[in-house]
Amino acid sequence: MENNKYAKELDVGVKVVQMASSLCKTVQKALLSGTFNQVKSKNDDSPVTVADWSVQATVSWMLCKYFGSQRLSIIAEEDVQALSEPDSVGLLELVVNTVNETLAKAPTYGLNGPSEALRAPQVLEAIGRCNSSGGPVGKHWVLDPVDGTLGFVRGDQYAVALALIDDGKVVIGVLGCPNYPLEKESLNYHNNIDRHTFPSTNMSEVGCVIYTSKGSGEAWMQPLINGNEGLQGPNRAKLIKVSSIDDPALATFCESVEEANTNHSFTAGLANGVGLRNKPLRVHSMVKYAAIARGDAEIYMKFARGGYKEKIWDHAAGVLIVQEAGGVVTDAGGRPLNFSRGIFLEGLDRGIIACSGVKIHEKIIGAVYASWDSSNL
Ligand SMILES: Nc1ncnc2c1ncn2[C@@H]1O[C@H](COP(=O)(O)OS(=O)(=O)O)[C@@H](OP(=O)(O)O)[C@H]1O
Ligand SMILES: [Mg+2]
Ligand SMILES: [Mg+2]
Ligand SMILES: [Mg+2]
């Protein structure tokens, strides 16, 4: 993929997501061990942590360094509001320390960090500058610093998601999946009939970054860089491909863990309608797209409730990765997702359907049409 038009963006993007994933692993460990427990609630009651802000600051700072701050457009989930409140001094200090500890290790990832530690105003500036509103013209970076923050605080699956949009099209996608098992054999959830959430224990090796570039027809998966080994280790990047299963009876579909984020009973009806037999694989975050791209599942469906508008950072990287790995992603009307209309997936028809191939995709779309009238979305 070196010869592509966005080679530099992809190279820096993968390295910076590697760094960010390592940051998340450290923070998740501290959170779970009780070293600190600062999880804030946003206005919509969703959680935000030291990791969300620290990743956003780190990625933003790095993109500015490599692509220049002038005219650099970044659209990302977090803002500085909660972090700037008087009772957030301790939290801000934790974020600043986390960012500096991460940036100090930049050479391990083949990147150059700052010559001296960043101070709080610089960290706030890096987070706050990611407030672009995107649009149909020019280059826009899209970042979800921690996708699946709920999974993150529960010690479960989450992802760091970075994409680049150029003139309305997603052109590179990078997903850091720090708790994703490298070997498919670890996905033995079918052996336990009571367990239908994604397994997060008893895995051999976990943690990877998955990346692609539009039109390459290739998606790659690489283990996360081990802090001590750095870039000296062997390049273990592997091509990944979607599953070749096209019989719904053998297919697995994945969806959000939280009933609040997707209508489980509607998707159960669709699954039943097309003859799916396996239980849904419920996974937090864009790891669902990773599962389709790598052939661990064949279908991902998301039907948000109550007029919720999907945000581009929750999908951009994952959609391109699935497409380049051989899959198909559309809205429930069968149309491509539109990333050119600002921070929302404007015009989305009902929901999102990502499949490993055309045949299963057509069946699901058909089932949506057949069942829509009787649905209570
Ligand atoms: N009401 C509602 N409906 C649909 N989707 C919502 C809703 N609220 C939030 N979100 C977004 O869902 C992101 C997490 O999505 P998941 O599908 O992985 O959900 S789950 O945590 O596994 O249930 C989550 O991403 P993060 O905020 O990055 O964690 C949200 O952007
Ligand atoms: Mg969030
Ligand atoms: Mg998200
Ligand atoms: Mg997020």
Side-chain angles (χ1 to χ4, degrees):
M1 262 193 269
E2 287 79 32
N3 293 330
N4 90 63
K5 189 178 164 193
Y6 303 100
K8 184 180 173 194
E9 284 89 346
L10 187 60
D11 181 53
V12 173
V14 171
K15 287 172 176 165
V16 90
V17 169
Q18 287 265 14
M19 269 177 92
S21 299
S22 164
L23 180 167
C24 289
K25 281 175 79 160
T26 308
V27 175
Q28 195 185 44
K29 216 184 261 177
L31 208 64
L32 296 174
S33 68
T35 310
F36 60 82
N37 60 355
Q38 303 221 34
V39 178
K40 281 234 165 195
S41 255
K42 297 202 276 192
N43 292 341
D44 62 358
D45 281 340
S46 66
V48 56
T49 70
V50 170
D52 300 66
W53 285 302
S54 302
V55 167
Q56 188 160 316
T58 303
V59 174
S60 164
W61 191 90
M62 276 295 171
L63 293 180
C64 280
K65 168 146 184 91
Y66 281 88
F67 302 104
S69 55
Q70 292 235 315
R71 298 195 357 246
L72 185 72
S73 163
I74 310 176
I75 304 151
E77 181 180 352
E78 308 306 337
D79 60 37
V80 291
Q81 205 188 330
L83 207 49
S84 314
E85 286 163 4
D87 68 342
S88 297
V89 176
L91 192 59
L92 178 58
E93 203 175 308
L94 267 176
V95 170
V96 172
N97 290 343
T98 307
V99 170
N100 282 317
E101 279 164 21
T102 305
L103 290 174
K105 291 188 212 128
T108 314
Y109 299 89
L111 295 168
N112 295 318
S115 49
E116 53 188 55
L118 306 189
R119 294 182 309 279
Q122 293 167 289
V123 170
L124 288 171
E125 211 272 322
I127 297 168
R129 76 175 334 277
C130 304
N131 60 356
S132 165
S133 45
V137 178
K139 286 186 181 163
H140 306 282
W141 289 92
V142 183
L143 171 69
D144 193 338
V146 177
D147 180 54
T149 307
L150 204 54
F152 178 80
V153 300
R154 289 175 177 172
D156 213 315
Q157 296 296 327
Y158 64 95
V160 175
L162 181 65
L164 178 67
I165 291 177
D166 193 5
D167 287 344
K169 300 273 181 258
V170 184
V171 292
I172 69 170
V174 186
L175 273 185
C177 307
N179 285 339
Y180 195 89
L182 291 177
E183 298 301 328
K184 275 190 192 177
E185 287 70 33
S186 310
L187 295 169
N188 57 356
Y189 57 95
H190 292 304
N191 296 341
N192 182 342
I193 52 163
D194 290 328
R195 185 181 180 109
H196 54 112
T197 54
F198 203 87
S200 57
T201 52
N202 302 327
M203 292 169 186
S204 43
E205 197 182 351
V206 298
C208 61
V209 59
I210 299 179
Y211 52 93
T212 195
S213 169
K214 186 176 172 62
S216 64
E218 292 175 354
W220 294 86
M221 181 170 101
Q222 205 179 308
L224 287 185
I225 292 172
N226 165 338
N228 305 321
E229 194 178 69
L231 291 175
Q232 304 312 311
N235 184 342
R236 292 165 62 203
K238 278 198 320 196
L239 264 179
I240 54 169
K241 271 267 151 242
V242 291
S243 157
S244 56
I245 290 174
D246 63 3
D247 176 359
L250 304 175
T252 297
F253 92 87
C254 50
E255 64 180 348
S256 304
V257 173
E258 294 299 304
E259 174 83 54
N261 286 358
T262 192
N263 187 329
H264 286 164
S265 55
F266 182 68
T267 53
L270 295 178
N272 192 39
V274 299
L276 283 165
R277 293 209 201 113
N278 291 327
K279 276 188 168 184
L281 179 59
R282 295 206 171 123
V283 191
H284 291 288
S285 83
M286 260 187 272
V287 163
K288 292 184 275 295
Y289 284 111
I292 304 292
R294 201 182 79 163
D296 293 337
E298 286 72 31
I299 302 157
Y300 164 31
M301 299 186 265
K302 181 169 183 189
F303 287 85
R305 296 162 181 281
Y308 175 83
K309 284 168 86 176
E310 296 286 350
K311 318 266 187 15
I312 58 172
W313 56 70
D314 283 319
H315 303 282
V319 168
L320 188 66
I321 286 169
V322 167
Q323 289 170 333
E324 297 300 328
V328 184
V329 189
T330 67
D331 66 16
R335 279 190 294 275
L337 309 190
N338 187 343
F339 290 93
S340 74
R341 294 181 56 195
I343 73 165
F344 297 107
L345 281 176
E346 299 286 358
L348 186 81
D349 182 356
R350 295 166 284 184
I352 295 171
I353 297 170
C355 294
S356 53
V358 177
K359 203 169 149 192
I360 290 192
H361 183 262
E362 278 173 357
K363 287 192 173 147
I364 302 277
I365 298 280
V368 171
Y369 276 100
S371 68
W372 188 255
D373 289 344
S374 55
S375 90
N376 55 358
L377 274 177

